[in-house]
Amino acid sequence: MSRPGVLLDRDGTIIVDHGYVGSVDRVEFIPGSIEAIAALNAAGIPVAVVTNQAGVARGYYDIDDVHQVHKHMIAELARKDAHVDVWLFCPYHPDGKIAAFARTSADRKPAPGMALAAAEALDLDLTSSWVVGDAECDIGLAAAVGAQPLYVGPPDTTRDGVRSFPDLAHAADYILTCRTVPTQPRDTPMRFPTHRFDSADAYGGAYVTELDRAVRSVDRAQLGRAAEILDNAYRDDRAVFACGNGGSASIANHLQCDHVKGVRNGTDLTTRVYSLSTNIETLSAIANDHGYERVFEYQLQSHARPGDVLVAISSSGGSPNIVRALEWASAKGMPTIALTGFDGGAARRLATASIHVNAHNYGIIEDAHQACMHLLAQYVRQSRMAADVVASQTF
């Protein structure tokens, strides 16, 4: 089982921030910080250091200097029976002067890379962990991974919704007092972004990291169930209908393309797949005469038969026309697949197979839905090929 841990900033939290501390002679421990780490160790709470070290990118010192500073800190901690379980640092900065390090990085706080690496190394549940630091990027890191931020610094500094302490010693006392933090329910979507980015490349790195997390949140058992529904439909010559609004409509249309044309390449499949989102004349006529909430249900009443399949795509999962279509399909004996995001809405509960993306950003959710649509098409396609033929095909 994953466990809570503490992610500590370095400069300004454990040692005095003299500005780009890149040599042993500039290391000055903040009073009480070593004892605070020792207390966390004694309580069995894993401790990781996650520190931005842009001084490497700016040419003030090199990677080996960072390691020497950490080696010195490790020795000083050990003198008082304290230790850090994992040391992580990010040497990159987009404005760096050293070419090898002059770039954005998903590891640079407030991006979540180092926290995710610490969680993997120490088996941490980040939503029940703490991030302790003296800068906005530390608070941003906590928000990015669902951890509880604790600010350390001048007592007159206040931040809405963030507990503040004068130093690490007081923050550690608080952690040891509560020992557990209120955790987000596992199904609570994580927000992105949580702060403003000053460059597109930095935003891009954080976006890719969040997209990776969102895709990993999908229940693979539900993907397997959806694949089985589609495979059975194609085997039995059943029709598959897809629908969605806005960006989800484009995914429904793309699904028709990939599940009709794509799956035929190198297989014996001739599927019958239709997007209910593609005919503007039909959509507008139904919406005008019967209401937009019936645009998909009305088409199903004309075209669908028991045993056919409905794939409903909705980021919110609550669009009335999506919910009505799912309800009608279920009542008529049609297996249903829902691709949802946010909290999943009614669509998540109604579907036979629920492919839910735990995210709170339309772009992230739609990108993840598109990936799921593609992988289902490709899975069905390759499953109809001889094992020795798959590697020779282009997917």
Side-chain angles (χ1 to χ4, degrees):
M1 294 291 292
S2 296
R3 53 188 176 162
V6 177
L7 309 184
L8 299 177
D9 174 49
R10 195 191 79 176
D11 302 2
T13 302
I14 303 173
I15 61 175
V16 175
D17 187 356
H18 290 301
Y20 298 105
V21 178
S23 59
V24 170
D25 62 293
R26 303 190 69 209
V27 174
E28 179 185 354
F29 282 90
I30 295 172
S33 64
I34 296 179
E35 291 79 3
I37 294 172
L40 295 171
N41 297 153
I45 301 175
V47 177
V49 165
V50 288
T51 176
N52 288 343
Q53 290 298 315
V56 175
R58 296 184 184 280
Y60 300 147
Y61 46 83
D62 59 30
I63 292 287
D64 186 61
D65 292 323
V66 178
H67 288 305
Q68 290 301 317
V69 166
H70 290 171
K71 183 178 179 179
H72 171 72
M73 291 179 67
I74 290 169
E76 293 300 308
L77 287 165
R79 293 177 188 275
K80 295 186 179 180
D81 295 322
H83 69 272
V84 169
D85 297 286
V86 173
W87 295 79
L88 297 167
F89 66 94
C90 178
Y92 302 102
H93 194 285
D95 298 328
K97 296 180 179 179
I98 306 302
F101 302 102
R103 64 173 178 83
T104 58
S105 171
D107 290 336
R108 180 172 172 77
K109 296 183 294 185
M114 287 190 288
L116 296 175
E120 183 174 357
L122 300 176
D123 191 26
L124 302 182
D125 176 4
L126 292 173
T127 63
S128 64
S129 297
W130 299 263
V131 175
V132 186
D134 68 324
E136 291 293 338
C137 65
D138 300 306
I139 295 170
L141 174 63
V145 299
Q148 180 176 349
L150 301 179
Y151 172 80
V152 293
D156 58 344
T157 301
T158 60
R159 287 168 171 77
D160 292 341
V162 178
R163 291 183 180 273
S164 296
F165 303 91
D167 51 37
L168 178 56
H170 287 82
D173 286 343
Y174 169 77
I175 292 170
L176 293 170
T177 298
C178 60
R179 289 300 300 269
T180 58
V181 300
T183 63
Q184 289 183 329
R186 290 295 183 177
D187 283 349
T188 300
M190 295 180 66
R191 291 184 175 274
F192 174 85
T194 57
H195 63 281
R196 192 184 75 178
F197 288 76
D198 293 328
S199 67
D201 50 356
Y203 192 86
Y207 188 98
V208 169
T209 299
E210 173 60 12
L211 179 59
D212 176 71
R213 187 206 61 76
V215 171
R216 290 176 185 273
S217 75
V218 174
D219 185 342
R220 294 186 186 179
Q222 293 297 317
L223 277 172
R225 194 173 188 183
E228 182 179 9
I229 289 171
L230 292 172
D231 200 41
N232 290 340
Y234 297 152
R235 180 196 62 209
D236 298 336
D237 193 31
R238 302 290 189 179
V240 173
F241 299 94
C243 62
N245 299 290
S248 297
S250 69
I251 299 173
N253 294 345
H254 198 156
L255 185 147
Q256 178 177 330
C257 172
D258 277 36
H259 286 247
V260 171
K261 191 269 181 186
V263 299
R264 289 185 63 178
N265 293 335
T267 76
D268 60 351
L269 286 172
T270 51
T271 58
R272 295 190 294 122
V273 183
Y274 309 94
S275 173
L276 304 177
S277 300
T278 190
N279 190 316
I280 188 60
E281 293 83 3
T282 300
L283 282 169
S284 58
I286 298 170
N288 186 63
D289 294 344
H290 303 286
Y292 190 68
E293 69 277 7
R294 295 195 63 194
V295 294
F296 302 134
E297 173 195 19
Y298 197 95
Q299 292 183 75
L300 288 172
Q301 290 170 347
S302 295
H303 300 304
R305 300 293 181 266
D308 290 343
V309 173
L310 174 65
V311 181
I313 306 159
S314 172
S315 292
S316 71
S319 300
N321 55 9
I322 293 291
V323 173
R324 287 184 67 118
L326 284 167
E327 290 175 336
W328 187 91
S330 297
K332 298 300 180 181
M334 294 175 61
T336 58
I337 300 169
L339 279 68
T340 62
F342 295 93
D343 66 3
R348 184 182 183 185
R349 299 188 296 272
L350 288 167
T352 309
S354 180
I355 299 174
H356 179 68
V357 176
N358 184 27
H360 204 283
N361 175 295
Y362 279 102
I364 295 290
I365 294 166
E366 290 176 2
D367 286 346
H369 284 172
Q370 186 86 320
C372 290
M373 181 277 292
H374 278 141
L375 76 85
L376 287 170
Q378 293 188 13
Y379 169 76
V380 170
R381 179 186 168 202
Q382 63 87 41
S383 69
R384 297 300 183 94
M385 296 179 179
D388 59 346
V389 173
V390 174
S392 67
Q393 298 289 311
T394 299
F395 283 80

